[in-house]
Amino acid sequence: MDLCDDTPMFDLRIRSEHRGRGRGGQALDWLTRYVFTEFPEVQRIEGTARQDNVAMRRAFRRCGYAKEAHSRDTWPTADGKVRDAVGYAILRRGWLSDSTTVERP
């Protein structure tokens, strides 16, 4: 996690033996609450998932994050292929109102 910037970014990875139990969403909920509670100056948080990581992309949406970017062929994999990256973000005002903020009011 990088909290030195105005928009923190994080890298969240769940070990394979712990996947499929909702831990990604739990960790994302905790992280979002922690950052917005402990760092009142932070107005948005960003995260990125590989396009084929359907579980994490679903967790982002369930936790109130909105899809903001889709970058093609940016994520190299261990097998030598390259996948797309999908960027998500949550705004403090959306978190406070328990809604996904996708447009300016």
Side-chain angles (χ1 to χ4, degrees), residues 14-83:
I14 307 297
R15 290 180 186 252
S16 57
E17 64 266 21
H18 299 290
R19 292 179 187 156
R21 300 180 192 169
R23 300 244 167 95
Q26 291 169 352
L28 190 56
D29 272 337
W30 177 89
L31 179 121
T32 304
R33 185 174 51 256
Y34 172 77
V35 171
F36 283 146
T37 302
E38 298 297 320
F39 301 91
E41 70 282 1
V42 171
Q43 296 303 308
R44 60 182 275 122
I45 305 169
E46 296 177 0
T48 305
R50 214 168 70 187
Q51 181 184 18
D52 58 341
N53 188 345
V54 176
M56 193 65 214
R57 293 180 63 196
R58 190 177 303 125
F60 273 122
R61 290 190 303 274
R62 272 196 311 261
C63 293
Y65 283 67
K67 178 182 175 185
E68 293 189 337
H70 191 114
S71 302
R72 296 176 296 159
D73 291 348
T74 58
W75 198 311
T77 62
D79 62 4
K81 295 181 181 177
V82 181
R83 302 279 191 240

